[in-house]
Amino acid sequence: MSGIRSVVRGIGSYLPANIVTNAELSARIDTSDEWIVQRTGIRQRHIAGEGEFTSHLGLAAARNALAAAGLQPADIDLIVLATSTPDQTFPATSAVIQAELGITHGAAFDVQAVCSGFVFALSTADAHLRTGAFKRALVIGAETFSRILDWEDRGTCVLFGDGAGAMVLEAVPVNEAGNNGVLTSHLRTDGRHRAKLYVDGGPSSTGTVGHLRMEGREVFKHAVGMITDVIEDAFAATGESAQSIDWFVPHQANRRIIDASAQKLGIAPEKVVMTVDRHGNTSAASIPLALDVAARDGRLKAGDLVLIEAMGGGFTWGSALLRW
Ligand code: UT7
């Protein structure tokens, strides 16, 4: 198990074409561009079109990640999809994506840890790859939160957007991987906080899909402490530090949470990858979306040390360090 490392082969993303600005929201509900920008940093979000599902976004992101990796779908034998907005209650949306990619071998399953989903999916895929049971994994975060928002609730509907990102990981013997790949990951859950951020419906309770409900201030209160704790765990496990990382790619929920976390840890502002202004909070999709932005604009290069973290409903939270 210790002889294998999960190495990043490619990253890709996909955003629905339709962009909704703060000004458009202000015309529909009692809010303003000024309030949204000041409190969150968000200026716009992408919203999936009619008939555009989570699987469609995830599939497009997966295809882009495979192209970036120079691989074919047949090269993939594991798909782990993080989502809280599946196409259907079952089958898993990853099974839909697997079939659309024409893959008939290996395994595909979904992971549900809300905004922390991508960190949980990455850690899960990494653990499976390191057993030697699978060779190459697609780790996807894909969400259509627009479908579970209460568009009358200004406290939540201005915050979220739709999108998807995907990463290809390959199991490589450590002596070939060198310093590259997933170096550590740390996952946490404390379900005592579950009523602070939840959806008020579900197959077993109401038989409906429900809408997202959040005590924003309560979530905010816990976010920075939880995020910085689990990042300290990643630093302690590897001997890395705020100084040695090249990029901090956090979950994109709120600019104030990201800035406060970076400041508390002593991470220089120029190392922080910020996309919340353009994407809003895309839950499990936000980290791979931000990684793809940084890879495509040339910031993220081979050999860079990347810190990712997320915190969300549950509460769940987690961190990972990877060398690109
Ligand atoms: O990704 C999962 C994790 N989720 C998060 O990280 C979200 C964490 N929470 C937050 O980001 C922030 O708490 C929010 C952005 C949701 C809210 O910011 P806040 O500074 O905590 O504001 P607040 O909820 O305390 O509300 C302040 C005021 C209230 O008015 P009063 O009671 O002071 O008169 C709200 O009614 O702002 C009002 N308000 C709005 N005003 C204009 C709430 N939403 C809006 C809005 N437009 N969209």
Side-chain angles (χ1 to χ4, degrees), residues 43 177 200 293 304 321:
R43 294 180 183 277
D200 63 3
V293 166
D304 283 354
L321 270 170

Side-chain angles (χ1 to χ4, degrees), residues 141-166:
E143 302 278 17
T144 47
F145 261 51
S146 63
R147 304 269 153 72
I148 56 164
L149 295 175
D150 173 353
W151 287 96
E152 307 288 310
D153 176 14
R154 67 176 185 171
T156 55
C157 77
V158 304
L159 304 173
F160 295 91
D162 300 335

Side-chain angles (χ1 to χ4, degrees), residues 282-299:
T282 57
S283 187
S286 87
I287 292 173
L289 267 163
L291 286 169
D292 192 37
V293 166
R296 277 185 295 123
D297 69 20
R299 274 180 289 178

Side-chain angles (χ1 to χ4, degrees), residues 8 10-12 61 65 80-84 111-126 137-143 164-169 182 185 187 249-251 282-292 306 308-311 316 318-320 322 324:
V8 179
I11 186 90
V80 184
L81 168 70
T83 189
S84 299
V111 161
Q112 211 273 59
V114 205
C115 294
S116 310
F118 187 77
V119 182
F120 277 59
L122 178 90
S123 177
T124 303
D126 173 49
L138 261 172
V139 186
I140 309 172
E143 302 278 17
M167 179 187 279
V168 179
L169 286 179
V182 179
S185 63
L187 308 181
V249 187
H251 168 51
T282 57
S283 187
S286 87
I287 292 173
L289 267 163
L291 286 169
D292 192 37
V306 183
I308 64 172
E309 63 75 9
M311 180 266 182
T316 53
S319 67
L322 28 121
W324 206 252

Side-chain angles (χ1 to χ4, degrees), residues 31 35 39-40 115 154 216-217 220 251 253-254 256-257 281:
T31 188
W35 190 94
R39 302 284 177 137
T40 72
C115 294
R154 67 176 185 171
R217 214 175 299 186
F220 198 109
H251 168 51
N254 186 318
R256 286 152 64 209
I257 294 175
N281 180 349

